[in-house]
Amino acid sequence: MGFNDVEFKNKELDDLLLERGRRETDQDVRKDIYKQVQQIVNDELPYVFIYSKNNVSAISKKVQGVVWSTLGPVFPEKWYIK
């Protein structure tokens, strides 16, 4: 999975998330499994973000073909100026 920098360990969570949730094909059952996952993470709160970077992006109106995502402008290979 990755990104477990705080080395959070919980056997019940691993079973729900890594085993049962991945195998379950019934969407209603899977939804309940992931609700349990969220409850465990919320109860144990292994990590709290105390900082969130706020990026501001701007591009001249002369630049065409810009695609914006939640992360800012993407696909610079599509940008052009007439």
Side-chain angles (χ1 to χ4, degrees):
M1 291 288 290
F3 304 111
N4 187 9
D5 296 336
V6 296
E7 298 182 18
F8 179 61
K9 294 176 179 72
N10 181 302
K11 287 186 181 193
E12 181 185 7
L13 181 71
D14 287 347
D15 178 57
L16 289 166
L17 186 61
L18 302 176
E19 301 297 331
R20 292 178 52 204
R22 287 184 175 183
R23 279 189 254 158
E24 184 56 58
T25 57
D26 182 309
Q27 291 300 310
D28 291 328
V29 174
R30 192 171 186 187
K31 190 179 199 182
D32 289 336
I33 289 170
Y34 287 118
K35 280 182 182 179
Q36 292 176 56
V37 166
Q38 291 299 316
Q39 188 62 53
I40 291 169
V41 172
N42 187 59
D43 290 345
E44 298 199 18
L45 203 58
Y47 194 85
V48 176
F49 290 95
I50 58 173
Y51 172 77
S52 177
K53 189 174 180 181
N54 187 11
N55 291 329
V56 177
S57 298
I59 294 181
S60 170
K61 290 182 181 181
K62 293 179 183 178
V63 180
Q64 303 294 303
V66 178
V67 176
W68 291 89
S69 79
T70 55
L71 301 174
V74 293
F75 308 121
E77 67 275 10
K78 294 183 178 185
W79 304 356
Y80 63 94
I81 297 176
K82 286 186 179 180

